[in-house]
Protein backbone atom coordinates (compact mmCIF):
# COMPACT_ATOMS: atom_id res chain seq x y z
CA UNK A 1 0.00 0.00 0.00
CA UNK A 2 1.24 3.46 -0.81
CA UNK A 3 0.98 6.60 1.24
CA UNK A 4 -0.88 9.45 -0.42
CA UNK A 5 0.74 12.22 1.57
CA UNK A 6 2.85 14.73 -0.31
CA UNK A 7 1.33 14.15 -3.73
CA UNK A 8 1.62 17.14 -6.06
CA UNK A 9 -1.70 18.78 -7.04
CA UNK A 10 -3.08 18.22 -10.53
CA UNK A 11 -2.03 21.10 -12.82
CA UNK A 12 -4.46 23.31 -14.69
CA UNK A 13 -3.33 24.93 -17.98
CA UNK A 14 -2.56 28.64 -18.01
CA UNK A 15 -4.94 30.83 -20.06
CA UNK A 16 -4.21 30.21 -23.75
CA UNK A 17 -1.70 27.40 -23.05
CA UNK A 18 -1.89 24.86 -25.87
CA UNK A 19 -1.77 21.07 -25.51
CA UNK A 20 1.72 20.13 -24.32
CA UNK A 21 4.03 17.44 -25.72
CA UNK A 22 3.46 15.52 -22.47
CA UNK A 23 -0.28 15.50 -23.05
CA UNK A 24 0.31 14.43 -26.68
CA UNK A 25 2.47 11.54 -25.42
CA UNK A 26 -0.46 10.32 -23.32
CA UNK A 27 -2.99 10.95 -26.09
CA UNK A 28 -1.05 8.81 -28.57
CA UNK A 29 -0.84 5.84 -26.16
CA UNK A 30 -4.38 6.13 -24.86
CA UNK A 31 -6.56 6.44 -27.90
CA UNK A 32 -10.24 7.27 -28.12
CA UNK A 33 -12.93 5.54 -30.14
CA UNK A 34 -13.43 7.09 -33.59
CA UNK A 35 -16.95 8.61 -33.56
CA UNK A 36 -18.01 6.63 -36.64
CA UNK A 37 -17.56 3.45 -34.54
CA UNK A 38 -20.75 4.50 -32.71
CA UNK A 39 -22.41 2.54 -35.54
CA UNK A 40 -21.54 -0.82 -33.92
CA UNK A 41 -23.58 -2.30 -31.06
CA UNK A 42 -20.34 -3.87 -29.80
CA UNK A 43 -17.18 -1.87 -30.40
CA UNK A 44 -14.63 -3.95 -32.35
CA UNK A 45 -11.78 -4.59 -29.89
CA UNK A 46 -9.17 -2.40 -31.63
CA UNK A 47 -11.58 0.58 -31.79
CA UNK A 48 -12.53 0.52 -28.09
CA UNK A 49 -10.99 3.43 -26.18
CA UNK A 50 -7.91 2.70 -24.12
CA UNK A 51 -6.57 4.15 -20.92
CA UNK A 52 -3.41 2.84 -19.28
CA UNK A 53 -1.87 4.95 -16.49
CA UNK A 54 1.57 3.27 -16.59
CA UNK A 55 2.79 0.38 -18.84
CA UNK A 56 0.98 -2.74 -20.01
CA UNK A 57 2.48 -5.31 -17.60
CA UNK A 58 4.11 -8.54 -18.79
CA UNK A 59 2.10 -11.49 -17.45
CA UNK A 60 3.05 -15.17 -17.64
CA UNK A 61 -0.35 -16.92 -17.57
CA UNK A 62 1.03 -20.10 -15.98
CA UNK A 63 2.47 -18.21 -13.03
CA UNK A 64 -0.33 -15.68 -12.70
CA UNK A 65 -2.63 -16.06 -9.64
CA UNK A 66 -5.56 -14.11 -8.26
CA UNK A 67 -5.19 -13.69 -4.49
CA UNK A 68 -8.27 -12.81 -2.43
CA UNK A 69 -7.57 -11.94 1.20
CA UNK A 70 -7.87 -9.34 3.94
CA UNK A 71 -10.94 -9.34 6.20
CA UNK A 72 -12.13 -12.83 5.19
CA UNK A 73 -12.27 -16.22 6.95
CA UNK A 74 -10.59 -18.20 4.15
CA UNK A 75 -8.16 -16.42 1.80
CA UNK A 76 -8.28 -17.84 -1.74
CA UNK A 77 -5.69 -18.24 -4.47
CA UNK A 78 -6.98 -19.06 -7.94
CA UNK A 79 -5.42 -19.89 -11.31
CA UNK A 80 -6.92 -18.71 -14.58
CA UNK A 81 -8.19 -22.24 -15.29
CA UNK A 82 -9.89 -22.36 -11.89
CA UNK A 83 -11.61 -19.02 -12.57
CA UNK A 84 -12.69 -20.22 -16.02
CA UNK A 85 -14.15 -23.39 -14.48
CA UNK A 86 -16.49 -21.33 -12.27
CA UNK A 87 -20.02 -20.25 -13.33
CA UNK A 88 -19.74 -17.79 -16.23
CA UNK A 89 -21.75 -14.67 -17.02
CA UNK A 90 -21.65 -12.23 -19.95
CA UNK A 91 -22.69 -8.57 -19.89
CA UNK A 92 -22.70 -5.90 -22.53
CA UNK A 93 -21.32 -2.79 -20.83
CA UNK A 94 -20.45 0.70 -22.01
CA UNK A 95 -17.21 1.90 -20.42
CA UNK A 96 -16.30 5.57 -20.32
CA UNK A 97 -13.25 7.26 -18.82
CA UNK A 98 -14.09 9.70 -16.02
CA UNK A 99 -11.83 12.21 -17.78
CA UNK A 100 -13.78 12.12 -21.05
CA UNK A 101 -14.28 15.64 -22.40
CA UNK A 102 -11.44 17.07 -20.27
CA UNK A 103 -9.58 18.80 -23.13
CA UNK A 104 -12.66 20.90 -23.90
CA UNK A 105 -12.76 22.37 -20.39
CA UNK A 106 -11.67 25.94 -19.69
CA UNK A 107 -9.31 26.20 -17.98
CA UNK A 108 -8.00 22.81 -19.13
CA UNK A 109 -6.91 20.29 -16.48
CA UNK A 110 -3.56 18.81 -17.58
CA UNK A 111 -3.84 15.05 -17.94
CA UNK A 112 -4.89 12.63 -20.67
CA UNK A 113 -6.48 15.23 -23.03
CA UNK A 114 -9.68 13.51 -24.07
CA UNK A 115 -12.09 15.22 -26.43
CA UNK A 116 -15.38 13.24 -26.21
CA UNK A 117 -14.20 9.88 -27.50
CA UNK A 118 -13.14 7.94 -24.36
CA UNK A 119 -15.89 5.37 -24.68
CA UNK A 120 -16.62 1.88 -26.00
CA UNK A 121 -19.05 -0.98 -25.51
CA UNK A 122 -18.01 -4.60 -25.20
CA UNK A 123 -19.44 -7.93 -24.18
CA UNK A 124 -17.46 -8.95 -21.13
CA UNK A 125 -17.46 -12.59 -20.02
CA UNK A 126 -16.20 -13.81 -16.69
CA UNK A 127 -17.27 -15.11 -13.32
CA UNK A 128 -19.45 -13.13 -10.88
CA UNK A 129 -17.50 -11.64 -7.96
CA UNK A 130 -20.11 -11.89 -5.16
CA UNK A 131 -20.07 -15.73 -4.89
CA UNK A 132 -16.25 -15.68 -4.62
CA UNK A 133 -16.41 -13.15 -1.78
CA UNK A 134 -19.06 -15.31 -0.09
CA UNK A 135 -16.84 -18.39 -0.41
CA UNK A 136 -13.97 -16.53 1.22
CA UNK A 137 -16.31 -15.57 4.08
CA UNK A 138 -16.63 -11.82 4.65
CA UNK A 139 -15.79 -10.45 8.08
CA UNK A 140 -18.73 -8.58 9.67
CA UNK A 141 -16.36 -5.57 9.82
CA UNK A 142 -15.86 -5.45 6.03
CA UNK A 143 -16.60 -2.01 4.53
CA UNK A 144 -14.69 -1.84 1.22
CA UNK A 145 -12.96 -4.12 -1.27
CA UNK A 146 -9.68 -3.05 -2.91
CA UNK A 147 -8.60 -4.35 -6.33
CA UNK A 148 -4.94 -4.24 -7.39
CA UNK A 149 -3.47 -4.54 -10.88
CA UNK A 150 -0.05 -5.84 -11.92
CA UNK A 151 0.93 -2.47 -13.41
CA UNK A 152 3.24 -0.14 -11.52
CA UNK A 153 4.24 3.49 -11.83
CA UNK A 154 4.46 6.93 -10.26
CA UNK A 155 1.67 9.45 -10.21
CA UNK A 156 2.13 12.98 -8.91
CA UNK A 157 5.17 11.77 -6.99
CA UNK A 158 3.51 8.69 -5.46
CA UNK A 159 4.88 5.27 -6.49
CA UNK A 160 2.14 2.65 -6.64
CA UNK A 161 0.52 -0.39 -8.19
CA UNK A 162 -2.72 0.72 -9.84
CA UNK A 163 -5.37 -0.02 -7.20
CA UNK A 164 -8.95 1.06 -6.66
CA UNK A 165 -11.48 0.16 -3.98
CA UNK A 166 -15.26 -0.10 -4.11
CA UNK A 167 -17.70 0.27 -1.22
CA UNK A 168 -18.70 -3.25 -0.08
CA UNK A 169 -22.27 -2.95 -1.41
CA UNK A 170 -20.99 -1.98 -4.88
CA UNK A 171 -18.54 -4.92 -4.91
CA UNK A 172 -21.35 -7.31 -3.94
CA UNK A 173 -23.72 -6.12 -6.71
CA UNK A 174 -24.99 -9.05 -8.73
CA UNK A 175 -23.71 -7.67 -12.06
CA UNK A 176 -20.02 -7.23 -11.06
CA UNK A 177 -17.79 -9.76 -12.81
CA UNK A 178 -14.15 -10.79 -13.04
CA UNK A 179 -13.83 -10.83 -16.82
CA UNK A 180 -11.41 -12.98 -18.85
CA UNK A 181 -13.02 -12.38 -22.27
CA UNK A 182 -13.94 -9.33 -24.33
CA UNK A 183 -16.27 -9.76 -27.32
CA UNK A 184 -15.78 -13.53 -27.15
CA UNK A 185 -11.97 -13.65 -27.18
CA UNK A 186 -9.45 -13.71 -24.31
CA UNK A 187 -8.77 -10.18 -23.04
CA UNK A 188 -6.13 -8.55 -25.22
CA UNK A 189 -3.03 -7.26 -23.37
CA UNK A 190 -4.18 -3.63 -23.47
CA UNK A 191 -7.57 -4.39 -21.91
CA UNK A 192 -6.27 -6.31 -18.89
CA UNK A 193 -5.12 -9.81 -19.82
CA UNK A 194 -5.68 -12.20 -18.15
CA UNK A 195 -8.38 -10.78 -15.82
CA UNK A 196 -10.11 -7.48 -15.16
CA UNK A 197 -12.88 -6.23 -12.94
CA UNK A 198 -16.06 -5.05 -14.68
CA UNK A 199 -18.41 -2.87 -12.61
CA UNK A 200 -21.32 -2.00 -14.91
CA UNK A 201 -22.40 1.65 -14.72
CA UNK A 202 -19.23 2.97 -13.07
CA UNK A 203 -16.65 5.19 -14.75
CA UNK A 204 -13.57 3.47 -16.18
CA UNK A 205 -11.24 3.91 -13.19
CA UNK A 206 -13.22 1.24 -11.29
CA UNK A 207 -12.67 -1.38 -14.00
CA UNK A 208 -9.27 -2.57 -12.72
CA UNK A 209 -7.21 -4.37 -15.38
CA UNK A 210 -4.43 -7.00 -14.97
CA UNK A 211 -6.06 -7.92 -11.68
CA UNK A 212 -3.85 -9.81 -9.23
CA UNK A 213 -5.23 -8.98 -5.79
CA UNK A 214 -8.58 -8.49 -4.07
CA UNK A 215 -8.41 -7.31 -0.47
CA UNK A 216 -11.44 -7.01 1.78
CA UNK A 217 -10.95 -4.00 4.08
CA UNK A 218 -12.39 -3.19 7.51
CA UNK A 219 -11.61 0.52 6.97
CA UNK A 220 -11.79 2.93 4.02
CA UNK A 221 -9.06 2.41 1.41
CA UNK A 222 -6.36 5.08 1.41
CA UNK A 223 -4.75 4.36 -1.96
CA UNK A 224 -4.01 7.25 -4.33
CA UNK A 225 -6.68 6.43 -6.94
CA UNK A 226 -9.43 6.71 -4.32
CA UNK A 227 -8.08 9.19 -1.78
CA UNK A 228 -6.47 11.73 -4.14
CA UNK A 229 -7.40 11.07 -7.79
CA UNK A 230 -10.97 10.49 -9.00
CA UNK A 231 -12.52 13.07 -6.70
CA UNK A 232 -14.52 16.12 -7.75
CA UNK A 233 -12.39 19.00 -6.48
CA UNK A 234 -12.45 22.67 -7.38
CA UNK A 235 -9.55 23.80 -5.18
CA UNK A 236 -6.38 21.68 -4.96
CA UNK A 237 -6.85 21.08 -1.22
CA UNK A 238 -10.56 20.11 -1.39
CA UNK A 239 -11.29 16.60 -0.14
CA UNK A 240 -13.86 16.26 -2.94
CA UNK A 241 -16.68 13.83 -3.54
CA UNK A 242 -15.60 10.48 -5.02
CA UNK A 243 -16.29 9.83 -8.71
CA UNK A 244 -18.65 6.84 -9.03
CA UNK A 245 -21.26 6.19 -11.73
CA UNK A 246 -21.33 7.48 -15.30
CA UNK A 247 -23.43 10.60 -15.90
CA UNK A 248 -25.57 10.52 -19.06
CA UNK A 249 -24.01 11.36 -22.40
CA UNK A 250 -25.20 11.24 -26.01
CA UNK A 251 -22.79 11.20 -28.92
CA UNK A 252 -23.47 11.63 -32.62
CA UNK A 253 -21.80 10.12 -35.67
CA UNK A 254 -20.78 13.36 -37.38
CA UNK A 255 -22.69 13.55 -40.70
CA UNK A 256 -21.06 14.12 -44.09
CA UNK A 257 -17.30 13.93 -44.54
CA UNK A 258 -14.40 15.64 -42.76
CA UNK A 259 -11.68 18.05 -43.72
CA UNK A 260 -8.41 16.22 -42.95
CA UNK A 261 -6.84 18.91 -40.72
CA UNK A 262 -9.73 20.79 -39.10
CA UNK A 263 -12.16 17.83 -38.98
CA UNK A 264 -14.89 20.30 -39.98
CA UNK A 265 -17.71 18.36 -41.62
CA UNK A 266 -19.08 19.00 -45.09
CA UNK A 267 -22.51 17.68 -46.07
CA UNK A 268 -24.81 17.88 -49.07
CA UNK A 269 -28.13 19.72 -48.78
CA UNK A 270 -31.14 17.43 -48.27
CA UNK A 271 -32.22 14.66 -45.90
CA UNK A 272 -29.72 13.36 -43.34
CA UNK A 273 -30.33 10.69 -40.77
CA UNK A 274 -28.40 11.77 -37.69
CA UNK A 275 -27.57 8.74 -35.53
CA UNK A 276 -25.64 8.02 -32.39
CA UNK A 277 -25.66 6.36 -28.98
CA UNK A 278 -26.50 7.46 -25.46
CA UNK A 279 -25.79 5.90 -22.07
CA UNK A 280 -25.89 6.51 -18.33
CA UNK A 281 -24.59 4.58 -15.34
CA UNK A 282 -27.62 5.63 -13.28
CA UNK A 283 -30.27 3.80 -15.28
CA UNK A 284 -31.62 3.69 -18.83
CA UNK A 285 -31.51 6.72 -21.10
CA UNK A 286 -35.15 7.72 -21.65
CA UNK A 287 -34.69 10.76 -23.84
CA UNK A 288 -32.24 12.11 -26.41
CA UNK A 289 -32.73 15.60 -27.83
CA UNK A 290 -31.04 17.04 -30.88
CA UNK A 291 -30.37 20.67 -31.74
CA UNK A 292 -29.33 21.71 -35.25
CA UNK A 293 -29.06 25.42 -34.37
CA UNK A 294 -26.30 25.47 -31.76
CA UNK A 295 -28.60 24.74 -28.82
CA UNK A 296 -31.36 27.33 -29.37
CA UNK A 297 -34.08 24.77 -30.08
CA UNK A 298 -34.26 21.03 -29.38
CA UNK A 299 -36.27 18.14 -30.86
CA UNK A 300 -36.73 14.62 -29.49
CA UNK A 301 -34.80 11.89 -31.29
CA UNK A 302 -36.25 8.38 -31.79
CA UNK A 303 -34.71 5.86 -29.41
CA UNK A 304 -33.65 2.32 -30.33
CA UNK A 305 -34.42 -0.70 -28.16
CA UNK A 306 -33.10 -0.98 -24.62
CA UNK A 307 -30.36 -3.60 -24.32
CA UNK A 308 -28.37 -4.65 -21.27
CA UNK A 309 -28.85 -2.28 -18.33
CA UNK A 310 -25.53 -0.46 -18.81
CA UNK A 311 -25.07 -0.76 -22.56
CA UNK A 312 -25.51 2.28 -24.78
CA UNK A 313 -28.80 2.83 -26.62
CA UNK A 314 -29.04 3.93 -30.24
CA UNK A 315 -30.95 7.04 -31.35
CA UNK A 316 -31.79 8.64 -34.70
CA UNK A 317 -33.13 11.95 -35.92
CA UNK A 318 -34.05 13.14 -39.41
CA UNK A 319 -32.52 16.47 -40.46
CA UNK A 320 -33.37 18.34 -43.64
CA UNK A 321 -30.28 20.41 -44.28
CA UNK A 322 -30.37 23.61 -46.36
CA UNK A 323 -27.11 25.37 -47.27
CA UNK A 324 -25.46 27.13 -44.35
CA UNK A 325 -23.18 26.62 -41.34
CA UNK A 326 -24.50 24.55 -38.45
CA UNK A 327 -23.62 23.38 -35.02
CA UNK A 328 -25.28 20.08 -34.13
CA UNK A 329 -25.77 18.99 -30.51
CA UNK A 330 -27.27 15.90 -28.87
CA UNK A 331 -28.03 15.54 -25.17
CA UNK A 332 -29.32 12.64 -23.08
CA UNK A 333 -31.62 12.38 -20.06
CA UNK A 334 -31.66 9.26 -17.91
CA UNK A 335 -34.52 7.71 -15.96
CA UNK A 336 -33.23 9.17 -12.69
CA UNK A 337 -33.65 12.62 -14.27
CA UNK A 338 -30.03 13.67 -14.91
CA UNK A 339 -30.02 15.95 -17.98
CA UNK A 340 -26.77 16.44 -19.85
CA UNK A 341 -25.60 20.04 -19.44
CA UNK A 342 -24.77 22.32 -22.36
CA UNK A 343 -22.33 24.28 -20.15
CA UNK A 344 -19.22 22.71 -18.63
CA UNK A 345 -19.35 21.18 -15.13
CA UNK A 346 -15.77 22.21 -14.25
CA UNK A 347 -13.53 20.54 -11.67
CA UNK A 348 -9.77 20.55 -11.45
CA UNK A 349 -9.14 16.99 -12.65
CA UNK A 350 -11.80 17.31 -15.36
CA UNK A 351 -13.76 14.29 -14.13
CA UNK A 352 -17.37 13.32 -14.88
CA UNK A 353 -17.67 16.24 -17.31
CA UNK A 354 -20.63 15.32 -19.52
CA UNK A 355 -20.95 18.65 -21.34
CA UNK A 356 -22.85 18.27 -24.62
CA UNK A 357 -20.85 17.46 -27.79
CA UNK A 358 -20.89 20.09 -30.60
CA UNK A 359 -20.40 19.09 -34.24
CA UNK A 360 -19.68 21.85 -36.76
CA UNK A 361 -21.10 21.16 -40.24
CA UNK A 362 -20.99 23.17 -43.45
CA UNK A 363 -23.90 22.31 -45.80
CA UNK A 364 -23.69 23.07 -49.51
N1 LIG B 1 -4.66 -1.87 -13.62
C1 LIG B 1 -5.21 -0.82 -14.23
N2 LIG B 1 -6.53 -0.80 -14.42
C2 LIG B 1 -7.12 0.24 -15.05
C3 LIG B 1 -6.36 1.34 -15.49
C4 LIG B 1 -4.95 1.29 -15.31
O1 LIG B 1 -4.21 2.20 -15.70
N3 LIG B 1 -4.42 0.20 -14.67
N4 LIG B 1 -6.98 2.42 -16.07
C5 LIG B 1 -8.38 2.61 -15.66
C6 LIG B 1 -9.05 3.66 -16.36
S1 LIG B 1 -8.76 5.24 -15.81
C7 LIG B 1 -9.95 3.41 -17.36
S2 LIG B 1 -10.79 4.68 -18.08
C8 LIG B 1 -10.21 2.03 -17.82
C9 LIG B 1 -9.99 1.91 -19.31
O2 LIG B 1 -10.32 0.62 -19.74
P1 LIG B 1 -9.97 0.17 -21.23
O3 LIG B 1 -8.57 0.63 -21.53
O4 LIG B 1 -10.15 -1.29 -21.27
O5 LIG B 1 -10.97 0.89 -22.12
O6 LIG B 1 -9.38 1.09 -17.18
C10 LIG B 1 -9.16 1.31 -15.81
N5 LIG B 1 -8.45 0.21 -15.22
MO1 LIG C 1 -10.19 6.66 -16.96
Amino acid sequence: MTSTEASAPARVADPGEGITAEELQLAARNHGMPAEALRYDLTPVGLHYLLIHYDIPAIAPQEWRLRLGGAVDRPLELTLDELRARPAASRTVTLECAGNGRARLEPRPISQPWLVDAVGTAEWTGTPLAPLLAEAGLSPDAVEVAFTGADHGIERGIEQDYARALPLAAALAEDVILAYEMNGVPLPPQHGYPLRLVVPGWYGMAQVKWLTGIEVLDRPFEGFQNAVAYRLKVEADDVGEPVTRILPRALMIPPGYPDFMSRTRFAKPGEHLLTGRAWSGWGPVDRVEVSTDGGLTWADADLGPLGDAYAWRSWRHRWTAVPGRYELLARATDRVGHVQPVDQPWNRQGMANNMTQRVAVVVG
Side-chain angles (χ1 to χ4, degrees):
M1 184 86 35
T2 42
S3 152
T4 53
E5 287 154 36
S7 73
R11 195 167 85 77
V12 173
D14 295 328
E17 181 183 345
I19 297 276
T20 61
E22 286 190 344
E23 288 169 290
L24 174 61
Q25 187 169 239
L26 284 176
R29 288 179 57 82
N30 299 313
H31 65 78
M33 185 193 73
E36 60 273 28
L38 289 164
R39 68 171 75 105
Y40 307 109
D41 289 332
L42 292 185
T43 311
V45 168
L47 295 181
H48 194 282
Y49 89 97
L50 208 59
L51 193 97
I52 298 163
H53 283 229
Y54 316 128
D55 293 343
I56 299 171
I59 305 235
Q62 295 312 318
E63 283 135 49
W64 177 92
R65 297 287 182 276
L66 176 69
R67 296 193 171 80
L68 193 167
V72 296
D73 301 328
R74 294 169 293 279
L76 302 174
E77 195 177 298
L78 294 137
T79 65
L80 194 52
D81 287 343
E82 286 167 335
L83 285 160
R84 283 180 165 273
R86 296 181 60 84
S90 293
R91 324 211 174 282
T92 301
V93 181
T94 297
L95 297 190
E96 182 180 11
C97 179
N100 201 16
R102 174 185 287 134
R104 290 266 186 250
L105 291 178
E106 280 220 32
R108 184 180 83 258
I110 305 259
S111 182
Q112 165 69 28
W114 293 121
L115 296 168
V116 289
D117 38 13
V119 67
T121 297
E123 185 192 49
W124 302 97
T125 300
T127 193
L129 173 63
L132 257 183
L133 291 172
E135 266 176 54
L138 289 173
S139 152
D141 300 328
V143 292
E144 292 195 1
V145 184
F147 301 86
T148 302
D151 49 330
H152 189 87
I154 302 173
E155 210 159 326
R156 289 194 250 147
I158 307 291
E159 187 169 336
Q160 58 194 291
D161 294 334
Y162 185 90
R164 276 275 312 176
L166 290 173
L168 183 62
L172 288 174
E174 168 276 330
D175 57 0
V176 174
I177 59 173
L178 302 177
Y180 43 73
E181 282 179 12
M182 178 184 191
N183 293 357
V185 296
L187 292 184
Q190 67 272 31
H191 290 292
Y193 179 85
L195 193 73
R196 84 177 302 170
L197 182 64
V198 174
V199 191
W202 284 58
Y203 278 114
M205 73 285 157
Q207 327 284 337
V208 178
K209 303 192 270 191
W210 312 293
L211 196 60
T212 55
I214 301 179
E215 192 186 0
V216 178
L217 300 172
D218 58 8
R219 63 199 179 283
F221 183 62
E222 284 170 359
F224 180 89
Q225 305 297 345
N226 284 79
V228 180
Y230 299 106
R231 304 187 82 91
L232 303 173
K233 309 178 188 192
V234 173
E235 302 300 333
D237 55 1
D238 288 350
V239 174
E241 283 297 308
V243 176
T244 60
R245 290 183 175 272
I246 301 175
L247 288 167
R249 186 192 291 277
L251 287 181
M252 174 185 313
I253 301 180
Y257 47 90
D259 170 64
F260 172 61
M261 275 312 297
S262 67
R263 303 298 300 174
T264 299
R265 312 295 302 185
F266 291 86
K268 301 268 181 280
E271 286 277 297
H272 288 271
L273 188 61
L274 302 177
T275 63
R277 306 271 175 175
W279 61 92
S280 168
W282 293 91
V285 166
D286 276 344
R287 187 176 195 192
V288 171
E289 295 160 281
V290 174
S291 172
T292 55
D293 56 11
L296 291 174
T297 60
W298 296 86
D300 278 297
D302 296 323
L303 295 176
L306 276 175
D308 272 17
Y310 298 107
W312 58 23
R313 186 175 193 181
S314 64
W315 60 265
R316 51 174 57 202
H317 181 72
R318 226 163 259 297
W319 177 42
T320 309
V322 296
R325 288 180 172 269
Y326 295 87
E327 200 175 33
L328 311 181
L329 284 73
R331 70 177 179 204
T333 301
D334 66 21
R335 193 159 294 175
V336 180
H338 298 117
V339 186
Q340 228 190 301
V342 173
D343 296 325
Q344 61 173 3
W346 192 89
N347 57 79
R348 64 176 297 123
Q349 296 177 106
M351 306 280 193
N353 152 40
N354 60 337
M355 172 170 58
T356 304
Q357 173 199 25
R358 290 173 183 266
V359 179
V361 185
V362 179
V363 175

